[in-house]
């Protein structure tokens, strides 16, 4: 008997199958075999798409919110999230990362609170705001990365007569997906309006290679501020060494520093990796795919960014999202400094980290 002679399902068989699927539905059960392609794809198939937000769009809208919307208890922060168009209207830049522009007018204050979500601020321009982290006043200035690890009380206050805007990065979608969110309001009064030039945590922890003996180490960084002066010097030195013929740079013309916990050399936050990239003028990075999603903000310079089939021309302040396993390449004519944050620590911790670099085409 050949296979063409195998009798097909009878009407009776069909009716039994349909009854079984109806019974699955009624019992809240789902068979794997009808959806395996969507559940277990051969490579990640993110809903998030390559997306671009221009600073020239974000900043005027944040200024408008500054005119129309007060900051205070309840809303907590005047932060406006970047919503990836692939994520169905959710206020998420990627499935794991929140990215927002936050704005404080002259003399404004954002009240104290703490939460299990980890946070950082990155300042593309301006100064005048202080963030008190556990009562320790930390100045926010151009090029600085400021941390608020999970469950640290924090409040922000603008001591100047000028407004200030910056970006926030948090693991809000990850923590939401894990149902791990806890949130507490802090005191109504600011912990302090003091504005010391150097925060207590920097006085303890901001000395390269020197660990304060007796100070408690923590999984997230005990250092809350990474100053542009240091970041810039590290990148400058890497590229100078490369130019002098010494090894140690990631790829030709591409220097990267990672913001780390000085007590462990691990990532500065438990769930978010932060890095600053510098591309020498005329550099193009090798096209790379990485499991895990990320967001970039141009700090200085211009570039053309290719993410899968998309291509964006970007300049200072512009942000773009890179979905998991999207092919990324960055090309700059005049040179580029770009801040990058990702969910890489989560992928590392769970054994999910993968990366693939192709030869430049
Ligand atoms: O500054 O404390 O963009 O709690 C989102 C949640 C900022 C903050 C955000 C927050 C904050
Ligand atoms: Fe917060």
């Amino acid at each position: 008997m050949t296979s063409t002679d195998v009798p097909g399902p009878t009407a009776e068989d069909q009716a039994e199958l349909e009854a079984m699927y109806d019974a699955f539905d009624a019992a809240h059960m789902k068979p794997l075999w009808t959806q395996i392609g969507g559940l277990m794809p051969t490579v990640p198939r993110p809903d998030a798409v390559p997306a671009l937000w221009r600073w020239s769009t974000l900043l005027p809208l944040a200024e408008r919110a500054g005119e129309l919307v007060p900051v205070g208890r309840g809303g907590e922060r005047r932060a406006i999230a970047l919503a990836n168009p692939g994520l169905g209207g959710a206020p998420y830049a990627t499935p794991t990362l929140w990215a927002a522009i936050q704005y404080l007018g002259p003399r404004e204050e954002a009240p104290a609170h703490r939460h299990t979500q980890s946070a950082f601020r990155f300042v593309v321009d301006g100064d005048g705001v202080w963030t008190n982290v556990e009562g320790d006043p930390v100045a926010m200035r151009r090029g600085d990365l400021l941390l608020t690890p999970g469950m640290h009380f924090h409040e922000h206050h603008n001591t100047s007569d000028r407004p200030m805007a910056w970006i926030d990065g948090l693991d809000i979608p990850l923590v939401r997906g894990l149902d791990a969110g806890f949130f507490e309001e802090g005191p109504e009064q600011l912990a302090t309006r003091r504005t010391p030039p150097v925060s207590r945590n920097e006085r303890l922890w901001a000395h390269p290679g020197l660990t304060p003996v007796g100070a408690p180490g923590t999984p997230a960084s005990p250092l809350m501020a990474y100053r542009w002066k240091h970041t810039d010097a590290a990148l400058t030195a890497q590229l100078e060494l490369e130019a002098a013929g010494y090894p140690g740079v990631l790829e030709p013309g591409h220097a990267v520093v990672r913001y780390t916990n000085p007590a462990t050399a691990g990532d500065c936050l438990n769930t978010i990796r932060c890095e600053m990239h510098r591309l020498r003028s005329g550099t193009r990075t090798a096209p790379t795919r990485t499991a895990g999603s990320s967001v970039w903000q141009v700090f200085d310079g211009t570039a053309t960014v290719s993410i899968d089939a998309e291509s964006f021309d970007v300049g200072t302040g512009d942000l773009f999202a890179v979905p998991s396993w999207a092919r990324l390449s960055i090309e700059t004519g005049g040179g580029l400094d770009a801040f990058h944050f990702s969910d890489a620590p989560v992928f590392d911790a769970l054994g999910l980290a993968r990366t693939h670099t192709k030869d430049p085409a």
Side-chain angles (χ1 to χ4, degrees):
M1 199 160 112
T2 65
S3 64
T4 51
D5 297 326
V6 172
T10 63
E12 205 178 327
D13 292 337
Q14 280 294 353
E16 284 185 20
L17 264 179
E18 275 172 37
M20 180 191 71
Y21 285 117
D22 288 348
F24 284 169
D25 276 347
H28 308 290
M29 296 165 71
K30 295 279 182 198
L32 174 65
W33 58 86
T34 60
Q35 40 196 338
I36 185 148
L39 290 173
M40 302 175 78
T42 51
V43 296
R45 299 211 187 294
D47 293 327
V49 296
L52 170 71
W53 295 266
R54 294 204 181 279
W55 195 242
S56 61
T57 305
L58 299 175
L59 185 58
L61 286 170
E63 286 166 353
R64 195 74 185 119
E67 292 162 358
L68 299 179
V69 182
V71 64
R73 201 44 102 200
E76 302 292 301
R77 301 292 185 260
R78 192 187 291 110
I80 310 153
L82 312 187
N84 189 297
L87 295 179
Y92 304 152
T94 80
T96 51
L97 297 170
W98 165 280
I101 180 169
Q102 185 168 163
Y103 185 91
L104 269 188
R107 309 283 159 192
E108 274 190 322
E109 296 175 353
H113 67 211
R114 67 176 179 175
H115 38 70
T116 48
Q117 291 86 356
S118 298
F120 72 79
R121 338 270 158 211
F122 179 72
V123 183
V124 71
D125 191 26
D127 53 38
V129 170
W130 296 70
T131 180
N132 293 331
V133 181
E134 292 287 326
D136 187 7
V138 179
M140 298 174 60
R141 305 189 190 98
R142 179 179 176 275
D144 295 345
L145 174 74
L146 304 316
L147 301 185
T148 314
M151 290 320 271
H152 287 49
F153 274 112
H154 52 287
E155 58 196 5
H156 316 309
H157 57 125
N158 187 345
T159 63
S160 84
D161 294 320
R162 287 159 288 113
M164 183 178 171
W166 63 90
I167 65 158
D168 299 317
L170 288 90
D171 52 8
I172 290 174
L174 176 76
V175 171
R176 181 72 187 83
L178 295 171
D179 285 333
F182 293 85
F183 179 99
E184 282 173 44
E185 292 179 354
E188 295 307 311
Q189 293 296 315
L190 279 191
T192 175
R193 282 190 184 74
R194 288 180 56 245
T195 57
V198 185
S199 64
R200 293 199 299 275
N201 69 81
E202 289 170 274
R203 283 188 282 165
L204 270 182
W205 288 101
H207 310 283
L210 299 171
T211 298
V213 175
T218 43
S221 179
L223 178 64
M224 301 298 148
Y226 298 74
R227 301 299 177 188
W228 174 242
K229 184 178 78 166
H230 300 134
T231 309
D232 183 34
L235 292 167
T236 300
Q238 271 195 48
L239 289 179
E240 280 174 358
L241 283 171
E242 187 204 23
Y246 293 95
V249 172
L250 182 68
E251 58 184 337
H254 184 187
V256 189
V257 288
R258 185 169 298 166
Y259 299 91
T260 54
N261 178 339
T264 64
D267 283 291
C268 59
L269 294 168
N270 296 333
T271 51
I272 305 177
R273 175 165 297 167
C274 297
E275 294 177 340
M276 182 68 80
H277 290 239
R278 176 168 292 174
L279 299 188
R280 195 192 286 286
S281 51
T283 300
R284 176 175 182 257
T285 64
T288 301
R289 296 180 189 275
T290 306
S293 57
S294 67
V295 177
W296 295 71
Q297 185 179 35
V298 175
F299 178 61
D300 200 6
T302 58
T304 302
V305 178
S306 301
I307 312 171
D308 284 340
E310 298 284 340
S311 179
F312 304 131
D313 288 318
V314 294
T316 300
D318 295 349
L319 293 116
F320 55 93
V322 182
S324 186
W325 214 239
R327 188 177 40 75
L328 171 70
S329 177
I330 305 177
E331 183 168 16
T332 181
L336 180 76
D337 284 345
F339 177 76
H340 181 219
F341 64 102
S342 75
D343 53 16
V346 180
F347 280 65
D348 278 351
L350 301 183
L352 297 171
R354 279 187 187 231
T355 178
H356 182 243
T357 301
K358 287 204 266 192
D359 295 325

